[in-house]
Amino acid sequence: MAKLRKYTFNTKTLSYEVQKRSRKSRIMRSLVIFAGSLLLSMGYFWIYTSVLGLELPKTIILKKRNAAWASRMEVMNRQLDKCDEALTALQMRDDDIYRSIFGMHEIPMEIRNAGFGGVNRYEHYEGVGQHGLLKNTVVRLDMLTKKSYVQSKSFDEVALLARRAGDMASCIPAIPPVVPDRSIYRLSSSFGYRKDPFTGRTKRHTGVDFALKPGNPVYATGEGVVESVKFEFFGYGNSVLIDHGFGYKTRYAHLKSIGVVEGMKVKRGECIGISGNSGRSSGPHLHYEVLYKDRHVNPANYYDLTITPEEYSTMVQNTADASERITLHPSHQKKRGK
């Protein structure tokens, strides 16, 4: 198509000539057209949005996408609710059953919550999404991930102890610490509150007292490792503390002499010392304690005093014979020779 030209009549030459425009006029004409178009568009936009109350097509598309993502996050949050309920049930079962059976301490809530709280590490999510839905979803997902990891590690610990469940039977303090012969001992004080023999005040007695003459053998009530050996003038006097594992410990106090050392492994029925009257004692006796998860419990709930002295002596003799066989084993002798 031919370019439109503007002509003017020249009176001197009596002919039409092409009118030439200056560059400035062309620029001004373009600016005017652009400004007019811009004003027209703005007016159209104002009438479309403010007067008619309509939304732009792009806004409608973005809102639809946002609503779709919000629906997905709501579905995800409902799934997270179910996962959280299942994880909470596992945590309760872990603390109340599995860890309790094996004498393990409960996992503190600050560890189970994976250290959440304090510094706001999700500040950049604030104001994003509907009513903070995106931030809440991200926080919950992180918490469940970390809590699941903590629970997984806890089950690993329980599984490790479960493999040694057979050892638990021999470690629990399940026999009396002295030969259960009523002719050589009497229970002079039980577990619980009593009058202190020195002050006369009511005080909690943390163990059981076997009143018997000095010189009677005292036996380990379960397999374990000697945690501490103390020789004191007051308090427990000469005492032995054995760690049996699985949350159990036993203490044998007011001994005359001690036949074990710290770090030594002992078996149930192995002699660890001789009864006496050392320390703060009102008379010759053995003070025996059972601790479970570092709390004193009633020793009477663990031993059976109806066992006959003959059965007890047989068990002690079998333990001694087994220890002697280990000592006399050729491979053990070679190790000792080194």
Side-chain angles (χ1 to χ4, degrees):
M1 181 180 291
K3 187 176 181 181
L4 295 177
R5 296 184 176 90
K6 188 175 181 180
Y7 295 89
T8 57
F9 184 74
N10 191 338
T11 57
K12 293 181 180 181
T13 62
L14 300 176
S15 62
Y16 289 95
E17 296 178 354
V18 178
Q19 184 180 2
K20 296 182 179 180
R21 297 178 183 177
S22 64
R23 183 175 181 180
K24 183 177 180 181
S25 65
R26 291 198 304 268
I27 293 175
M28 288 299 296
R29 184 172 180 272
S30 300
L31 290 176
V32 170
I33 294 174
F34 175 77
S37 301
L38 184 61
L39 289 174
L40 184 62
S41 299
M42 292 177 63
Y44 171 79
F45 178 80
W46 177 76
I47 294 173
Y48 191 85
T49 57
S50 300
V51 178
L52 300 179
L54 301 175
E55 293 181 341
L56 297 176
K58 187 173 183 179
T59 304
I60 296 174
I61 294 173
L62 291 176
K63 283 189 174 182
K64 287 183 177 180
R65 291 180 179 176
N66 186 50
W69 281 109
S71 298
R72 293 179 183 178
M73 283 190 288
E74 288 178 359
V75 172
M76 182 182 295
N77 272 278
R78 286 195 291 269
Q79 292 175 343
L80 291 177
D81 288 338
K82 295 180 180 179
C83 293
D84 195 13
E85 292 176 1
L87 184 58
T88 301
L90 287 175
Q91 291 174 355
M92 294 177 61
R93 185 180 300 177
D94 185 31
D95 285 336
D96 298 341
I97 301 178
Y98 303 140
R99 301 185 73 85
S100 179
I101 288 176
F102 295 106
M104 304 169 69
H105 292 282
E106 295 182 1
I107 299 178
M109 289 307 299
E110 55 268 22
I111 296 179
R112 284 200 179 277
N113 291 332
F116 278 85
V119 180
N120 185 7
R121 69 187 76 180
Y122 302 99
E123 186 176 1
H124 57 285
Y125 286 106
E126 293 180 356
V128 180
Q130 297 180 354
H131 310 293
L133 183 60
L134 178 60
K135 175 185 174 182
N136 293 336
T137 304
V138 173
V139 171
R140 293 191 63 192
L141 188 58
D142 283 354
M143 287 186 66
L144 283 175
T145 300
K146 294 182 180 180
K147 288 168 71 173
S148 299
Y149 174 77
V150 173
Q151 186 60 59
S152 175
K153 298 299 290 183
S154 175
F155 281 151
D156 289 343
E157 294 177 3
V158 172
L160 182 62
L161 284 178
R163 296 189 190 100
R164 299 194 297 119
D167 302 333
M168 186 176 180
S170 61
C171 292
I172 294 178
I175 65 170
V178 296
V179 177
D181 186 350
R182 289 287 183 174
S183 64
I184 64 173
Y185 83 92
R186 66 180 178 86
L187 291 175
S188 58
S189 186
S190 58
F191 179 85
Y193 288 91
R194 65 166 188 177
K195 283 188 177 181
D196 189 284
F198 294 95
T199 64
R201 297 177 180 177
T202 301
K203 188 177 180 181
R204 185 170 182 260
H205 189 230
T206 56
V208 172
D209 289 344
F210 293 85
L212 70 173
K213 294 180 180 180
N216 283 281
V218 176
Y219 302 98
T221 57
E223 185 175 328
V225 178
V226 178
E227 182 175 305
S228 68
V229 173
K230 295 183 178 179
F231 299 90
E232 302 172 328
F233 288 104
F234 303 101
Y236 287 124
N238 301 332
S239 65
V240 175
L241 180 66
I242 299 177
D243 185 354
H244 301 278
F246 304 98
Y248 290 98
K249 294 182 182 181
T250 53
R251 179 179 281 114
Y252 314 77
H254 307 301
L255 300 174
K256 179 180 180 181
S257 61
I258 297 175
V260 293
V261 295
E262 292 182 0
M264 180 177 174
K265 292 183 178 181
V266 294
K267 292 187 175 296
R268 177 182 293 159
E270 185 172 346
C271 182
I272 60 172
I274 302 299
S275 66
N277 191 30
S278 60
R280 189 172 181 267
S281 173
S282 59
H285 74 284
L286 168 68
H287 175 80
Y288 174 64
E289 295 179 356
V290 176
L291 297 92
Y292 180 64
K293 294 183 180 179
D294 297 325
R295 294 181 181 180
H296 289 91
V297 293
N298 192 349
N301 294 332
Y302 293 89
Y303 56 67
D304 181 12
L305 293 177
T306 61
I307 183 176
T308 64
E310 291 76 18
E311 291 174 335
Y312 193 93
S313 299
T314 301
M315 178 198 63
V316 170
Q317 186 60 43
N318 291 337
T319 301
D321 292 343
S323 299
E324 185 177 357
R325 285 195 298 271
I326 294 175
T327 304
L328 296 178
H329 194 274
S331 60
H332 184 74
Q333 288 182 337
K334 291 180 181 178
K335 292 180 180 178
R336 294 183 63 183
K338 292 181 181 180

